[in-house]
Amino acid sequence: MIAHLFGTITEKLATSIIIDVQGVGYEVILTAPDIERLNLNDQTKLYTYHAIRDNSEELYGFSSLTAKRLFELLISVNSVGPKAAMSILSLGTPEEVRNAIANTDSSFIAKASGVGKKSAERVIVDLRDKVGAPSKYGTSIEGFVPATALPNDEALDALIALGFPLKEASAALAEVDPTLTTEERIKLALKHR
């Protein structure tokens, strides 16, 4: 299984990029925010999910391990495939999506292309107990003020890499001051465990 890729962006397409890894070009499907963030000739690391079907193989890429874990949770929901999961993750940061699920905001999830009201409600029902406690909710234009995690929270990624489920990692960091350094946040989260 391909866990991650590190290489140079050689092409940008509408929903994917081509990343050159030592002379081999991999096409990787990304969320809209990740495609916008990356530029041609950038060196980048992407965590990947390798989807294999009867008639195709596709690589889905994520800028953080948190986003990949959330993607894996989303595709575990009946009726949510990889493309719908990527569409849901394109709605905002992984923390905003996680927060919408934790706050049972099916209208936010239903905004994703190809995701109807029933599928959005199914995502909420199946995942609300798996994504952790909600952050502070309802005070920004989009409706989210992440209180426990930053959009690309390295401490959250590190805890997930250590084997914490997303819910437990989020809960552990909820008790830690987000202004501390990443290393300090990880140490304190491990002590609170």
Side-chain angles (χ1 to χ4, degrees):
M1 198 54 65
I2 301 170
H4 73 267
L5 297 171
F6 180 79
T8 305
I9 310 290
T10 57
E11 294 180 50
K12 281 181 71 171
L13 308 168
T15 59
S16 63
I17 55 110
I18 306 293
I19 183 169
D20 183 291
V21 180
Q22 296 186 0
V24 178
Y26 293 91
E27 183 173 3
V28 183
I29 300 167
L30 301 175
T31 62
D34 280 343
I35 286 180
E36 289 175 23
R37 181 182 59 82
L38 296 172
N39 297 309
L40 288 177
N41 300 317
D42 280 355
Q43 288 256 324
T44 191
K45 177 180 180 178
L46 296 172
Y47 295 95
T48 58
Y49 179 87
H50 190 184
I52 301 172
R53 296 194 193 117
D54 291 339
N55 58 352
S56 69
E57 290 188 39
E58 296 173 318
L59 275 177
Y60 294 88
F62 310 92
S63 58
S64 71
L65 198 52
T66 303
K68 179 182 176 183
R69 296 296 182 240
L70 190 52
F71 172 84
E72 292 171 337
L73 284 174
L74 286 166
I75 62 172
S76 73
V77 175
N78 193 14
S79 80
V80 176
K83 289 185 174 140
M86 293 301 277
S87 182
I88 292 169
L89 288 172
S90 290
L91 293 172
T93 65
E95 176 61 15
E96 289 171 336
V97 174
R98 186 200 70 77
N99 207 17
I101 295 168
N103 281 296
T104 65
D105 188 353
S106 61
S107 62
F108 179 83
I109 302 300
K111 291 178 188 175
S113 175
V115 178
K117 183 179 178 184
K118 287 188 179 188
S119 292
E121 289 170 355
R122 183 70 184 203
V123 166
I124 300 298
V125 169
D126 287 2
L127 300 182
R128 126 181 101 217
D129 294 331
K130 296 179 181 177
V131 296
S135 301
K136 189 174 176 183
Y137 184 75
T139 57
S140 74
I141 295 171
E142 288 85 24
F144 301 97
V145 178
T148 60
L150 304 170
N152 287 317
D153 190 346
E154 292 179 4
L156 185 62
D157 283 348
L159 290 176
I160 290 169
L162 289 171
F164 280 70
L166 180 59
K167 181 178 180 177
E168 286 182 31
S170 297
L173 287 172
E175 301 174 22
V176 177
D177 181 1
T179 61
L180 297 173
T181 67
T182 299
E183 292 172 7
E184 292 169 331
R185 292 178 68 219
I186 293 168
K187 287 178 185 176
L188 289 172
L190 290 172
K191 285 181 184 178
H192 285 93
R193 182 171 183 226

